[in-house]
Structures are given as C-alpha cells and as structure tokens.
Amino acid sequence: MKTELRVALGDRLYGIERPWGALPATPGRITDLTVGKDGLVHVLLRRDSAVDPEGPCVITLASDGSFVRSWGEKLCVDAHKIAAMPNGGLAIVDRDAHRIFFCDDEGRIRQQIGESHRPGQPFNHPSDIAFAPDGGFYVTDGYGNGRIRRYDSGGSLIASWGSVGTAPGAFLTPHGICVLGDGRVIVADRENSRVQSFTAGGELLAVWDAFLRPQDVVADADDRIYVCDSIPTLSLLSADGALLGRCRPVLNGAHGLWLGTAGDIFLAETNPNRITRLFPVAS
C-alpha cells in the first residue's frame, strides 16, 4: 500500500509526489528544472561529456507530467542550472564551458554570454542565473570567481561584486540566486552554509546562516523565499529572512528548485535521480 506523505511549510500543507513526471531513460542526471508561464516544465540533465554517451540536455513535460519532447543533445558540455525567461524562452548555464545560452523552448540559441571554453571571459564556472523585474539578470560566477554579475536586459554588464572568502559579502560557492520584487538579490552561498541578501547594486543587507550547504533559492510573487539545502530541508523565509516554515520533502537533498503555476513546488534531485512535486492540500 502506497503511503501518502504530507509536509507543512509555513501555513500551508503539501502532499508529496515522487517520482513525478514521465521522464525517459537518458545518460543524464537531473540537475535543475524551471516552469514557463505556459506551465511547461523543462528538466535540465547533466552528463560528463568526456565519458558519457550523448543524450538530451532538456526534457520538456506538460503540467500533468506527461512527456512533450526532449532536445539539446549537443547543446551543453556541463549543464548546471536553467531558468525561464520573463518574456519566454530559457536561460541555460553551461558551467564548465564558462557560458550561458539564451534559447527558445526547443533549443534554438538566441544569444550567448561568455566565451566558450575561455575561463575568465568573463565567467569562471558560472553556476546560476536569475531575472530581475526590470528585465535585467544576475549571474552567480560561481565556482572559480566567487562573484555576482549584473546585466541589463540586452546583456551588457552593469556591475559585479564579491570575492572568494568567508567574510560577509564574500562567497565560497555562490550556487543559487533569485531576485525579489523590490530588486533585492538573494544568493545561496553554498559552501559557507548561508544565504546572503544584497541591494540591486551589491550592498550587503543581511546574512542568514541557518542552513547546511544551501543549493538553490527562489521567490514567489509575495517575495517569500524558498531555500533547499543539504540537511535536507526546504525552508520558507520572509523577504527579511524570518523563518516561516521548514520541512523535509526529499531523501538526500535537491540541487534545483522552482515554483509551479498552480501552487506546486518542484525539486530536482540528483540522488536518487528524479523530480519531487509538492502540491497544496487542504488541512
């Protein structure tokens, strides 16, 4: 008999469905996912291009989890994170090729930031990307540089800040990022086991340290912040960092996190290789 699991996050109760989605067998491991305004769920797969056979970079699922398509067999060297763009399309962080692709929902590239296979031009193993209300975006850069880079909507660099370190405002691995409605920038500083809050221009506002290796951060329309870490827990914070709720919806921790269009919460797990869906239920 299948047991139906429940978790509480703040004032909301969720059921847990795992695994979720009709994912075909591929050489890739699930590393992240995103949900477009149309409700399509785009699952990012990472593989070792040096030894693994070719396979799709992205699998697209309908909102009910049914298979739609797969694509991007030759797109990425080391797919790491994916984000839905505000006006349609997807941004994909190709970490060890030091670049970010902006493409349509079927993988046709519109723009690239960062020179392929040239570390430091400007990225050095970037890890994540998040879009701001003004159409600009921020990149966590990442494993090598320990910096945040801010771009305008056309892809021109506006500012950057941060360095490798443990002091407030520095990063060991800026691994996940999101932007609040008022422009505040929230960064999961994974190996420092903390989340840091900045102004849009990079001024440090707060450091929140009640986490173990936080992997990703996202925010909802009310600027409530969701953080998945390696305990593993999923935490819900106010925009000012107050803890509103905490639960354990996965076995070993999620590498990526995104919010669905109907109140669902999706978690990308690498071990075991699957998606977990949290869906609202009546108390």
Side-chain angles (χ1 to χ4, degrees):
M1 179 178 177
K2 186 176 180 180
T3 301
E4 198 165 70
L5 300 175
R6 295 284 186 267
V7 295
L9 194 60
D11 57 0
R12 299 175 185 175
L13 187 66
Y14 293 88
I16 296 178
E17 181 181 1
R18 62 186 190 210
W20 179 87
L23 293 168
T26 76
R29 306 288 295 180
I30 296 168
T31 184
D32 198 18
L33 51 78
T34 190
V35 183
K37 290 183 178 179
D38 55 6
L40 291 178
V41 180
H42 306 279
V43 182
L44 189 67
L45 303 176
R46 178 171 61 189
R47 63 184 183 86
D48 186 341
S49 60
V51 297
D52 291 337
E54 284 190 358
C57 179
V58 178
I59 295 172
T60 299
L61 305 175
S63 58
D64 64 359
S66 59
F67 177 83
V68 176
R69 57 180 169 265
S70 61
W71 50 271
E73 283 75 5
K74 297 181 182 298
L75 182 64
C76 286
V77 172
D78 178 47
H80 191 256
K81 288 293 184 80
I82 187 170
M85 299 171 64
N87 296 320
L90 302 168
I92 298 176
V93 179
D94 193 3
R95 177 179 57 180
D96 287 350
H98 316 287
R99 62 194 177 188
I100 295 172
F101 295 120
F102 300 88
C103 58
D104 65 18
D105 290 356
E106 296 182 358
R108 289 180 286 264
I109 297 173
R110 300 172 180 170
Q111 185 181 7
Q112 177 179 323
I113 304 291
E115 296 188 32
S116 301
H117 307 292
R118 294 195 65 190
Q121 300 298 318
F123 303 130
N124 192 357
H125 308 283
S127 52
D128 200 8
I129 184 171
F131 291 88
D134 64 2
F137 57 93
Y138 294 81
V139 175
T140 49
D141 180 29
Y143 284 74
N145 281 334
R147 294 183 69 76
I148 308 300
R149 299 187 185 275
R150 181 187 181 187
Y151 293 83
D152 66 18
S153 58
S156 296
L157 182 67
I158 298 174
S160 62
W161 71 87
S163 60
V164 175
T166 59
F171 308 99
L172 279 186
T173 310
H175 193 265
I177 190 168
C178 69
V179 185
L180 304 187
D182 63 4
R184 277 179 285 176
V185 179
I186 311 300
V187 181
D189 182 15
R190 189 176 67 179
E191 268 61 48
N192 277 325
S193 286
R194 65 191 182 189
V195 173
Q196 302 196 73
S197 174
F198 299 88
T199 67
E203 178 186 351
L204 180 65
L205 297 173
V207 178
W208 308 321
D209 58 5
F211 308 98
L212 177 65
R213 300 182 76 246
Q215 302 277 6
D216 207 358
V217 290
V218 298
D220 63 21
D222 297 320
D223 281 347
R224 304 195 320 166
I225 301 165
Y226 300 74
V227 183
C228 60
D229 73 0
S230 302
I231 291 175
T233 59
L234 175 64
S235 296
L236 177 64
L237 310 178
S238 71
D240 294 323
L243 182 64
L244 303 176
R246 194 168 181 244
C247 65
R248 184 183 181 275
V250 295
L251 292 183
N252 298 313
H255 188 262
L257 168 68
W258 205 269
L259 306 179
T261 57
D264 296 341
I265 304 171
F266 292 97
L267 296 141
E269 298 179 74
T270 300
N271 179 30
N273 191 41
R274 66 186 182 188
I275 298 169
T276 289
R277 179 178 76 106
L278 276 61
F279 56 92
V281 296
S283 57

